[in-house]
Amino acid sequence: MNRLYTLRIYDPAYRHLVLEAASWDVQKDAVSAWITAKVLDDYDVNVNVTANTNIDISSTSLTGRFTTDGTNWSGDNSLSPDISAGAFSKRFKYRDSTAGTFTITVAGVPG
């Protein structure tokens, strides 16, 4: 018996960024678990960038701070790290000295 399978061919050049975290609740002045910014294609499949790619991460809280190494924190509520060539993600942590509900935004991958 023959079976017919469908093969999907797609262009991974169409990309977007998403953020993934184990939890989006962080106590005031505490450090979050790792948050991951991931590059995905239109089918939500991880896509490696072909060159170092700068992304912009920001918080609507003026007292929010970011780190990519767990030690050195941003001086303001934004950070512009690179996703290394051949990778599809960048991890970072977040902390905030102000309680409230804030939005973290990531941008910068053309798609």
Side-chain angles (χ1 to χ4, degrees):
M1 173 180 210
N2 292 334
R3 292 186 183 231
L4 184 61
Y5 295 94
T6 302
L7 178 63
R8 176 181 65 183
I9 307 296
Y10 60 93
D11 183 352
Y14 297 102
R15 298 176 253 193
H16 60 277
L17 286 163
V18 297
L19 293 175
E20 292 182 353
S23 173
W24 291 105
D25 293 321
V26 180
Q27 186 176 357
K28 178 182 148 185
D29 294 320
V31 177
S32 73
W34 289 107
I35 300 169
T36 305
K38 295 175 67 174
V39 182
L40 304 177
D41 66 13
D42 285 342
Y43 297 98
D44 290 334
V45 175
N46 297 334
V47 176
N48 293 339
V49 296
T50 57
N52 288 347
T53 303
N54 187 255
I55 60 173
D56 297 313
I57 304 167
S58 62
S59 172
T60 55
S61 171
L62 295 178
T63 55
R65 300 294 181 261
F66 299 95
T67 181
T68 57
D69 63 10
T71 302
N72 299 300
W73 290 88
S74 60
D76 61 15
N77 63 331
S78 65
L79 186 68
S80 296
D82 283 341
I83 297 176
S84 300
F88 63 85
S89 66
K90 186 68 176 184
R91 295 185 334 157
F92 63 92
K93 291 186 175 188
Y94 179 78
R95 73 175 181 205
D96 205 316
S97 60
T98 303
T101 302
F102 306 105
T103 302
I104 295 175
T105 303
V106 62
V109 173

